[in-house]
Amino acid sequence: MTLRSVLLFVLAALLEIGGAWLVWQGLREHRGWAWVGAGVVALGLYGVVATLQQDAAFGRVLAAYGGVFIAGSLLWGVVADGFRPDRWDVAGALVCLVGVAVIMYAPRSS
């Protein structure tokens, strides 16, 4: 169950961050409307993937996903744009991922 949830978070991050990056490339880097359109489709699919989490609490899922988004955005910048995070970026991302774990996977009474 936890592995499925983590994989869904990773897929959601790829779709949302990738979609936003495609829109950025299309508009800011003048690559054209096809890039923007592909980005919009990816962003829509992100919304679908987010609904596949087992937890039914929208606020909890999206709050936890925020931490994944932060870490994923830094990683995307490294891979796609040659960004080099400093130790504070890395520390902040790790804090966010700990928050994800607490929000999503802490034991709760039913």
Side-chain angles (χ1 to χ4, degrees), residues 28-47:
R28 296 277 306 251
E29 303 299 328
H30 310 288
R31 294 194 179 195
W33 288 103
W35 287 65
V36 174
V40 168
V41 169
L43 288 166
L45 290 172
Y46 149 73

Side-chain angles (χ1 to χ4, degrees), residues 4-101:
R4 179 181 187 272
S5 173
V6 169
L7 292 174
L8 285 171
F9 276 136
V10 169
L11 179 57
L14 288 172
L15 289 168
E16 186 183 19
I17 298 163
W21 184 82
L22 286 166
V23 171
W24 181 285
Q25 293 298 307
L27 296 177
R28 296 277 306 251
E29 303 299 328
H30 310 288
R31 294 194 179 195
W33 288 103
W35 287 65
V36 174
V40 168
V41 169
L43 288 166
L45 290 172
Y46 149 73
V48 171
V49 169
T51 69
L52 301 176
Q53 287 286 351
Q54 282 295 111
D55 195 306
F58 174 82
R60 180 178 294 139
V61 170
L62 268 285
Y65 172 68
V68 174
F69 177 83
I70 290 167
S73 295
L74 290 172
L75 185 58
W76 187 280
V78 169
V79 172
D81 292 326
F83 172 71
R84 294 291 170 245
D86 64 20
R87 63 184 171 150
W88 300 109
D89 294 324
V90 172
L94 291 173
V95 168
C96 291
L97 291 175
V98 168
V100 170

